[in-house]
Amino acid sequence: MDLKQQLKVTIDEAIKQAELVPEGQLPELKVEVPKDKSNGDFSTNAAMVLTKIARKNPRDIAAAIIENFDQAKAGVKEINIAGPGFINFTMDSKELANVIYKVLDQKENYGRSEANNEKVLVEFVSANPTGDLHIGHARNAAVGATLSNILDFAGYDVTREYYINDAGNQINNLALSIEARYFEALGQDLNMPEDGYNGKDIKLIGENLAKEHPEYKDLDQKERIAEFRNLGVELEMQKLKTDLEDFRIRFDNWFSETSLYESGEVDSAMDKMTENGYTYQADGATWLRTTDFKDDKDRVLVKKDGTFTYLMPDIAYHYDKVERGYDKLINLFGADHHGYINRLKASLGALGEDPDKLEIEIMQLVRLIENGEEVKMSKRTGKAVTLKDLIDMIGVDAARYFMVMRSTDTHFDFDLDLARSESSDNPVYYAQYAHARICSILRQAKEQGFEIDESQAVDVIENEQALELLKKILEFPNIVKGAAAARATQRIPNYIHDLAASFHKFYNAEKVLGEVEEKTRAYILMIEAVRQTLENALGLIDVSAPESM
């Protein structure tokens, strides 16, 4: 239990001891770090929250809490009431310094919570295998991977999944496009379908097939299209997987849409919704009564011609997710999918599941900015900027860091010039430089005969900037928990920046390798704890922690 948790427990005990609220009626109380340092290390508004229940003035409630509060147990040096009833706590510096030992003991697991029993499936990217990944996919990939890392670190059982859209009209058009390029390579006129794909990769696939399999021209078209469909999806997915791997994105499962038809899952989902009374026939089509679950209108599942709408396999896919035993389903969708939320959640209700089991995070648009102007085209190809282009422009570290810096519900202007700069204005450079600087100091310390010795006392740390740095280290486990609960990936880079800033401030104010040996040894332990925490936090967004720069 960290200091903040211990403080909260001790506050709860003091409230019970003071008999301020009836048994079992104590609400969830918050302990926060005040923005104004003069208000101590931690603060709670518990007295104001309890006013209605206790039927007393908040300052009187605060006084009763303080009277029954065990300062020694919570590691509190000073406690006072401020304003209308805020209770402010100043921690004993010795207790703050003990976080160093915790970090050194837990190392790469510092900040990790104990495993819970909640199984979470995070589905992200899921781009159609018909072309290159673009900037929107890059944001989706970075946020999805980071959210998965955070949830895993916070104790959830996380599965990362990519849904391969390898069925439907788009894939049929892909096969027809390959066929058109195939026959073009064999000397025939190009007969590209109206909604065909004109990318260079499709032309190359057609040319290679013409060289390696000229016999395909003699196949029945249905058989040939089936062959081209499978080959096209396989080759496009290989390319997507390579790009994602280069972006440090990994998946536990690659789930095929086609498998839903082959396994009978589509029919099973339809039967389930019909059995539950949520489907009906009208105008020659089969409809789903999504308006029973807050959707603005009912949705067609089977068209007049007997074919499924694109919604039906999506419902079957989510039915499969539920059947696999996941407690929470998290989908990361592009900005153009906002209208899809209610109908997909409604389908879960029609399947007899809680619609709130499904969470959909919408990724707002990203604009690339260079020299103050929006970049829409790749200098390399003259076409839309791809994920591969972005990596080539600024590298994986900067791309991953910048893509998770902002809340997903906001539009994001990605400043390429800033991402390339080697200055303190560049947040990823600023954070990595802090880590590299610590590593440099530790190397110097070793050369001077100072090793990391965990038996060394750290209670000599009293410098104001050092204590602020310790408090920042102490925050990390709760930052991770909060980011996981709120699905707020931007909290991690925000924390990384704050931790780096606290270190730089300490470094500029105090000499680590000073003249007092006892303090030097304590500082060495402290900055190693900072380094480890920084590495752990950077790891959550899959950004490297360099030892030199």
Side-chain angles (χ1 to χ4, degrees):
M1 188 182 298
D2 62 32
L3 278 181
K4 191 173 182 180
Q5 290 172 310
Q6 183 60 61
L7 190 57
K8 186 179 178 305
V9 167
T10 313
I11 292 169
D12 289 349
E13 290 173 351
I15 293 168
K16 291 175 184 177
Q17 189 73 24
E19 299 181 347
L20 290 168
V21 298
E23 187 71 30
Q25 292 189 28
L26 180 63
E28 186 70 20
L29 303 173
K30 289 184 178 180
V31 174
E32 298 178 320
V33 178
K35 292 180 181 179
D36 186 347
K37 294 176 184 178
S38 65
N39 289 327
D41 299 319
F42 296 103
S43 180
T44 182
N45 65 345
M48 279 88 85
V49 173
L50 298 177
T51 301
K52 287 186 178 179
I53 303 174
R55 297 182 180 179
K56 290 183 179 181
N57 179 286
R59 286 188 68 90
D60 292 337
I61 295 172
I65 292 173
I66 290 174
E67 185 179 342
N68 290 274
F69 187 85
D70 189 339
Q71 288 186 221
K73 182 177 180 180
V76 171
K77 181 180 178 182
E78 295 178 9
I79 183 169
N80 61 70
I81 304 170
F86 287 101
I87 306 175
N88 296 331
F89 305 90
T90 300
M91 309 305 293
D92 187 321
S93 60
K94 294 179 182 179
E95 292 294 332
L96 280 175
N98 283 335
V99 71
I100 294 171
Y101 297 125
K102 188 171 185 179
V103 178
L104 297 180
D105 176 57
Q106 297 181 359
K107 295 184 171 58
E108 68 273 7
N109 289 316
Y110 177 65
R112 182 180 287 278
S113 299
E114 290 184 8
N116 60 45
N117 295 319
E118 189 164 0
K119 291 183 65 179
V120 180
L121 179 68
V122 184
E123 182 215 330
F124 58 107
V125 185
S126 297
N128 293 327
T130 54
D132 292 319
L133 296 172
H134 55 60
I135 295 302
H137 295 133
R139 188 179 197 187
N140 191 300
V143 171
T146 298
L147 178 58
S148 299
N149 293 343
I150 292 168
L151 289 167
D152 175 75
F153 218 63
Y156 297 84
D157 182 359
V158 180
T159 299
R160 301 156 174 83
E161 189 157 283
Y162 188 114
Y163 180 58
I164 305 171
N165 295 276
D166 54 2
N169 286 335
Q170 290 170 319
I171 300 303
N172 194 52
N173 284 334
L174 172 67
L176 290 171
S177 301
I178 292 172
E179 182 188 49
R181 291 299 188 183
Y182 173 80
F183 281 112
E184 181 189 35
L186 291 175
Q188 297 185 21
D189 292 337
L190 179 63
N191 185 26
M192 185 65 69
E194 185 178 343
D195 295 322
Y197 297 99
N198 289 289
K200 288 183 179 178
D201 51 340
I202 305 301
K203 185 176 183 180
L204 186 61
I205 291 171
E207 290 173 351
N208 288 338
L209 284 170
K211 288 178 185 176
E212 297 170 11
H213 297 283
E215 72 277 8
Y216 283 172
K217 70 180 185 299
D218 300 321
L219 293 175
D220 173 77
Q221 191 194 27
K222 186 176 181 181
E223 189 178 351
R224 184 171 56 246
I225 289 298
E227 192 73 32
F228 287 171
R229 182 186 293 113
N230 292 335
L231 281 167
V233 169
E234 181 183 348
L235 291 169
E236 287 294 305
M237 284 307 303
Q238 284 177 0
K239 182 179 65 175
L240 294 183
K241 286 180 179 181
T242 297
D243 289 347
L244 289 167
E245 188 175 319
D246 289 344
F247 200 43
R248 300 178 193 150
I249 306 293
R250 69 174 183 83
F251 289 93
D252 301 302
N253 291 332
W254 301 83
F255 193 100
S256 163
E257 179 184 350
T258 299
S259 71
L260 293 168
Y261 296 96
E262 294 174 344
S263 67
E265 202 84 48
V266 175
D267 292 332
S268 296
M270 178 67 82
D271 292 343
K272 184 75 172 177
M273 293 186 293
T274 301
E275 180 186 321
N276 290 340
Y278 291 110
T279 66
Y280 64 93
Q281 305 295 316
D283 302 323
T286 302
W287 296 70
L288 180 63
R289 211 183 307 275
T290 55
T291 49
D292 287 2
F293 301 95
K294 301 179 182 179
D295 197 10
D296 59 335
K297 61 182 180 180
D298 291 343
R299 306 291 172 173
V300 176
L301 298 177
V302 183
K303 294 180 282 189
K304 291 180 183 180
D305 63 4
T307 60
F308 291 116
T309 63
Y310 62 86
L311 178 59
M312 190 59 225
D314 284 349
I315 293 172
Y317 175 43
H318 286 79
Y319 182 50
D320 183 271
K321 291 180 181 181
V322 170
E323 290 290 289
R324 281 185 271 159
Y326 290 102
D327 303 299
K328 186 67 70 175
L329 312 176
I330 301 176
N331 293 359
L332 273 62
F333 284 171
D336 57 342
H337 282 68
H338 198 278
Y340 207 53
I341 297 174
N342 285 343
R343 70 192 74 169
L344 206 51
K345 289 175 75 74
S347 70
L348 273 188
L351 289 165
E353 298 291 333
D354 180 2
D356 289 335
K357 182 175 283 190
L358 173 64
E359 295 179 15
I360 296 178
E361 303 288 333
I362 297 293
M363 303 286 103
Q364 290 300 335
L365 300 176
V366 180
R367 291 197 318 160
L368 293 181
I369 306 296
E370 188 173 35
N371 298 321
E373 296 182 357
E374 183 176 0
V375 179
K376 292 186 177 180
M377 297 297 174
S378 165
K379 293 177 183 176
R380 179 173 59 87
T381 65
K383 297 188 177 181
V385 178
T386 65
L387 169 59
K388 183 174 174 54
D389 290 326
L390 182 66
I391 294 172
D392 290 342
M393 286 176 183
I394 59 173
V396 177
D397 280 343
R400 287 294 303 268
Y401 195 107
F402 272 65
M403 281 296 183
V404 296
M405 273 172 39
R406 300 286 182 266
S407 174
T408 56
D409 60 3
T410 61
H411 292 273
F412 176 37
D413 284 352
F414 192 124
D415 189 334
L416 292 170
D417 297 313
L418 179 61
R420 291 190 191 103
S421 70
E422 295 185 359
S423 72
S424 59
D425 292 331
N426 179 351
V428 65
Y429 180 84
Y430 186 67
Q432 290 181 318
Y433 185 65
H435 187 272
R437 174 175 269 177
I438 293 170
C439 291
S440 174
I441 297 169
L442 291 174
R443 285 193 296 270
Q444 292 175 46
K446 191 171 184 179
E447 289 169 4
Q448 295 178 26
F450 294 106
E451 299 283 350
I452 293 174
D453 179 5
E454 295 182 33
S455 66
Q456 172 66 43
V458 293
D459 56 4
V460 295
I461 297 176
E462 295 177 342
N463 172 274
E464 181 184 347
Q465 286 77 21
L467 294 177
E468 287 300 315
L469 187 51
L470 290 173
K471 282 187 278 185
K472 191 56 65 176
I473 298 171
L474 191 64
E475 285 181 30
F476 183 54
N478 288 309
I479 291 291
V480 175
K481 290 175 189 173
R487 320 300 194 226
T489 52
Q490 73 277 7
R491 293 187 187 181
I492 301 303
N494 288 347
Y495 171 80
I496 289 169
H497 188 272
D498 290 347
L499 180 60
S502 290
F503 168 73
H504 288 307
K505 191 173 182 180
F506 161 74
Y507 177 83
N508 292 330
E510 186 83 343
K511 193 173 183 180
V512 176
L513 305 179
E515 297 176 359
V516 181
E517 182 176 327
E518 188 180 21
K519 184 177 283 190
T520 292
R521 292 188 181 280
Y523 279 163
I524 288 170
L525 290 182
M526 183 182 74
I527 65 168
E528 168 58 19
V530 176
R531 188 209 61 75
Q532 184 68 68
T533 306
L534 197 52
E535 182 183 276
N536 292 0
L538 286 166
L540 291 177
I541 55 176
D542 293 304
V543 170
S544 66
E547 295 186 5
S548 60
M549 289 178 70

